[in-house]
Amino acid sequence: VMFSTGLEGKAIALRFDISPDIPRQLVGDDMRLQQVLVNLGGNAIKFTSTGEVVVAVRLLERGMRDARLEFSVRDTGIGIAPEKLTHIFDGFSQAESSTTRRYGGTGLGLSISKRLVDLMGGDLQLDSTLGQGSTFRVWLPVCQPETTASTGTPQGEAQ
C-alpha cells in the first residue's frame, strides 16, 4: 500500500521475498526499520521505470536468543556510477546533479537511513551498476523473545 502511488503508470513488478525460516517473533525497532525500508523501496520505485523491485528478508544466523537478518531492496532501475558510490550516504548528496531535477528529492533519505541502521547496530551497504540497477542490503541483529517451556509463548505476552 505504501508503495502503490509510486507504481502508477510504471511497468514495474513489486515483489516481496520473505524466507520461510525467519523466526515468527522478533524484538527490534520496527518503526526505524519500517522508515528505512519505506525509504529504500520508495527510491527503488522512483528510479525504476520498467522491470522489478524486490524487497527481501532472509535469516543469516540464528542463536538461542538472537538472530541476524538481511533485508534487501533490489531494483532494475538507473543504477549508480561507481565513482558516486562513496558519497551516496552523505547528506544532500545524489548520484548526479540532474537527478534532483529529473526525479526530485533532497538526497537526505539515504543519509537518514544509514544513520538509523547504525543506531540499530546494523550495517547498510549498496551494490549498483549504472544502467542496470541497485541492491541495498541492511544487516540487523534482532532478539528472539524468551519463551516459557510449558506454553511455548513469549514471556509477558498473552496466549
Side-chain angles (χ1 to χ4, degrees), residues 45-63:
I45 291 168
K46 181 181 356 180
F47 295 111
T48 302
S49 56
T50 60
E52 68 179 2
V53 171
V54 179
V55 179
V57 185
R58 68 184 186 105
L59 180 66
L60 297 177
E61 299 173 34
R62 185 173 185 176

Side-chain angles (χ1 to χ4, degrees), residues 56-89:
V57 185
R58 68 184 186 105
L59 180 66
L60 297 177
E61 299 173 34
R62 185 173 185 176
M64 292 296 290
R65 292 190 143 159
D66 60 355
R68 187 163 169 82
L69 301 178
E70 178 189 72
F71 297 85
S72 64
V73 178
R74 180 180 53 81
D75 66 63
T76 57
I78 63 172
I80 301 167
E83 66 273 11
K84 304 294 184 179
L85 293 176
T86 56
H87 297 289
I88 201 70
F89 294 114

Side-chain angles (χ1 to χ4, degrees), residues 11-146:
I12 301 173
L14 176 61
R15 303 183 196 290
F16 296 92
D17 180 12
I18 300 166
S19 181
D21 61 351
I22 303 286
R24 291 184 54 86
Q25 294 185 334
L26 297 168
V27 177
D29 194 331
D30 60 336
M31 189 169 278
R32 283 183 182 165
L33 177 59
Q34 179 179 352
Q35 186 175 356
V36 169
L37 293 176
V38 165
N39 180 61
L40 296 177
N43 281 351
I45 291 168
K46 181 181 356 180
F47 295 111
T48 302
S49 56
T50 60
E52 68 179 2
V53 171
V54 179
V55 179
V57 185
R58 68 184 186 105
L59 180 66
L60 297 177
E61 299 173 34
R62 185 173 185 176
M64 292 296 290
R65 292 190 143 159
D66 60 355
R68 187 163 169 82
L69 301 178
E70 178 189 72
F71 297 85
S72 64
V73 178
R74 180 180 53 81
D75 66 63
T76 57
I78 63 172
I80 301 167
E83 66 273 11
K84 304 294 184 179
L85 293 176
T86 56
H87 297 289
I88 201 70
F89 294 114
D90 297 346
F92 300 104
S93 177
Q94 293 194 340
E96 296 179 34
S97 58
S98 65
T99 302
T100 303
R101 289 189 304 276
R102 186 169 176 200
Y103 295 98
T106 61
L108 276 174
L110 291 178
S111 175
I112 292 168
S113 293
K114 175 77 168 139
R115 180 73 179 130
L116 290 174
V117 170
D118 288 347
L119 288 170
M120 291 186 285
D123 192 23
L124 171 58
Q125 292 185 358
L126 164 65
D127 294 315
S128 187
T129 303
L130 191 59
Q132 294 182 16
S134 302
T135 301
F136 287 86
R137 288 185 178 83
V138 176
W139 291 283
L140 285 178
V142 291
C143 297
Q144 299 178 90
E146 292 183 39

